[in-house]
Amino acid sequence: MAYNYSKIAEDVIKCIGGQENIKSVAHCATRLRIIVVDREIIDEEGIGNIEGAKGTFFTAGQFQIIFGTGHVNRVYDEVLKHGISETTASEAKEAKMDGKNQLQKAIRTFGDVFVPVIPALVATGLFLGLKGALLNDNFLSLLGMSVADVPQTFSVLVEVLSGTTFAFLPAIVCWSTFRVFGGSPVLGLILGLMLVNGSLPNAYSVADPSSGVTPLYLFGMIPIVGYQGSILPAFVAGVIGSKLEKKLRKTVPATFDFMITPFLVLLIMLVLSLVVIGPLLHSFENILLAVVEAGLNLPLGLGGAFVGFFWSIITLTGVHHIFNMLEISLLASTGFNPFNAILCMCGFSSSAVCLAISLKAKKKEVRAIGPSATASALLGIGEPALFGVILRYGLKPFILSCCVNCVAGMVAMLLGMQGSGNGITTIPGILLYIYSTNQLLMYILLAAATFASAFALTWMFAVPKEVMEE
């Protein structure tokens, strides 16, 4: 279907309330994000009638219109031609925090730190999946080989691809934290690298009694080790280090600032991190991970049922950002992420509910946007389905989806499903399970069962009456 993007842009501006009601505009993979002056004068019903618009919602201080992948960027380009400015990073950050309480602001900031880390973890998860799928005797026997026959050079390259991110994870987290809290990212990167410096006893080796590696001891009582794979010490060190840097920038004379500030930041923060922050928070992190793993492994899959039922609700509140740290910590400590299997099934459930509503609906708008929203959900982008179809006409489809998620999450935990990474779900998420034939087969079967049951139940019981009107 060919869209007139110029006309769509004009209609958007008109329904928003004219150019004078638009501060700036940006876009993501599926949505046009508009910072407005007065939200009350927006004609949301008119926007719903715009060609290609798949739904609207207001979040993160921005009025967002769902157009879908491949369309939103073209609409955005046409909107800019009307003299409307692009949203700057500071404007977007200010809009996100507008009207939020301190807890919501803290969680949003937490997400801003860890979301940029996810692409590296996605790539690493795929490398680990391919490594598990290809470098095993079952696969290699088909080629008349075994793991022992793999050339050493190839094995080393595979280890570099699959191990680097987790080996230097504290450096990545510390860099991102300095960036978000206003420090110099390069100082955060160097501080993080110091925490995993090869001169320090390796954390993984110290944790293995058979390695013979022991911590260094300061004053004979404070253990000093590297923090490979550890998240919280790097995060807290980044927060304190960035604030220390900003304080020093204001107090150190400008003539000496270039030399003195970086020197003091790295010196003070390295000592503080190794002697105080690291030992305390690493222990707390281990306890937190033990609690999370125990919760997920509750009898009868109850942990998975709990996460599955509440995941969509958590996503709506924005609190889901905090799970990024838990997923990353689990990956760093165990190499696997059981959360991912639950979240993937939630994606399949949402896409099935959306498809059932759009196929049974008589309302033209829903039948038009439903299939593309379903396709987006199956590719891991759930907002068009969730906000454009499922929640738009009542809570019944949403509650049904949560119930299906509950059962799917429980089954996923009973089967012991866990991905080799995070950040991708639904169909692309299959790549995180190719490391094991059993895991891959369970993923495909559970995904199919989740999709089919959510579709059938929605078709029979949860299609809103509003969409059945012409």
Side-chain angles (χ1 to χ4, degrees), residues 155-173:
S155 297
V156 170
L157 290 176
V158 170
E159 286 299 324
V160 170
L161 285 170
S162 59
T164 300
T165 298
F166 290 119
F168 297 100
L169 191 56
I172 301 172
V173 171

Side-chain angles (χ1 to χ4, degrees), residues 77-104:
D77 291 339
E78 292 296 331
V79 169
L80 292 183
K81 291 180 181 178
H82 289 266
I84 294 172
S85 61
E86 302 176 55
T87 300
T88 63
S90 59
E91 284 179 323
K93 184 176 181 179
E94 183 180 343
K96 287 179 182 178
M97 300 302 181
D98 186 36
K100 294 185 180 295
N101 57 40
Q102 292 302 315
L103 176 61
Q104 290 172 318

Side-chain angles (χ1 to χ4, degrees), residues 238-259:
V239 174
I240 298 175
S242 59
K243 292 184 179 297
L244 173 63
E245 182 193 353
K246 290 195 289 185
K247 181 70 174 178
L248 290 173
R249 297 286 185 195
K250 295 178 181 179
T251 55
V252 174
T255 305
F256 304 104
D257 177 63
F258 182 75
M259 296 180 294

Side-chain angles (χ1 to χ4, degrees), residues 219-240:
F219 307 127
M221 56 185 291
I222 301 175
I224 296 179
V225 299
Y227 289 95
Q228 288 81 3
S230 197
I231 305 297
L232 277 179
F235 173 71
V236 174
V239 174
I240 298 175

